[in-house]
Amino acid sequence: MLDKHQKQVEDLQRLANTPVQNCIQCGRCSASCPVAFKMDLLPHRVVWELVQGNMETLLKARAPWTCVSCFACESRCPRGLSPAAVMEALRLTAIRKNGANMYDAAELEHFDPELPQQALVAVFRKFNK
């Protein structure tokens, strides 16, 4: 049986859906990141921390909130990883840890009817994993 820490790591890896164990720490993701200069943990370091299972470090980091999800890191990765997906998964994990995690379909009636359908799909994608 998995302990709570191992479960958190596995849940984060499942949410990220990218093969972090294949990272070779080349740093191309960090070198291509337009906001790396503002991050406390560079993208390659975030991936390394996840591989090492350092959830406490990851959940304290400001880097996921600094990430602009431009996917430059993903496009430069020679191993096909997506550090941006890890950043997104970290944001979701932090949000869910604070209890603000999911939307129910019944709550859609409270959304503005003029809201584009793409926004509604994004809400379900982000908060319903």
Side-chain angles (χ1 to χ4, degrees):
M1 179 162 218
L2 296 176
D3 68 9
K4 184 180 177 182
H5 176 79
Q6 289 172 314
K7 182 165 176 14
Q8 276 187 316
V9 171
E10 284 188 6
D11 286 347
L12 184 57
Q13 289 178 343
R14 181 186 56 79
L15 282 172
N17 194 28
T18 192
V20 293
Q21 65 281 0
N22 293 344
C23 181
I24 58 173
Q25 292 292 300
C26 66
R28 287 184 185 181
C29 54
S30 297
S32 65
C33 179
V35 293
F37 68 98
K38 291 190 172 229
M39 291 185 170
D40 55 347
L41 291 177
L42 295 173
H44 75 281
R45 182 62 186 231
V46 169
V47 172
W48 184 85
E49 295 288 352
L50 178 55
V51 170
Q52 298 304 310
N54 298 331
M55 288 299 294
E56 188 174 325
T57 301
L58 290 170
L59 291 173
K60 287 181 181 179
R62 298 298 310 150
W65 307 102
T66 307
C67 173
V68 294
S69 300
C70 66
F71 297 97
C73 54
E74 182 178 324
S75 68
R76 293 285 316 269
C77 181
R79 302 296 297 263
L81 277 71
S82 178
V86 175
M87 298 290 195
E88 174 70 8
L90 280 166
R91 289 189 294 262
L92 286 172
T93 300
I95 289 167
R96 290 175 180 176
K97 185 177 176 189
N98 292 327
N101 59 344
M102 306 252 181
Y103 275 104
D104 186 79
E107 294 181 60
L108 283 179
E109 66 186 72
H110 302 293
F111 283 90
D112 182 351
E114 298 297 317
L115 196 65
Q117 288 180 348
Q118 183 178 2
L120 297 177
V121 170
V123 165
F124 276 107
R125 182 189 64 78
K126 192 170 216 166
F127 294 104
N128 224 10
K129 290 184 180 179

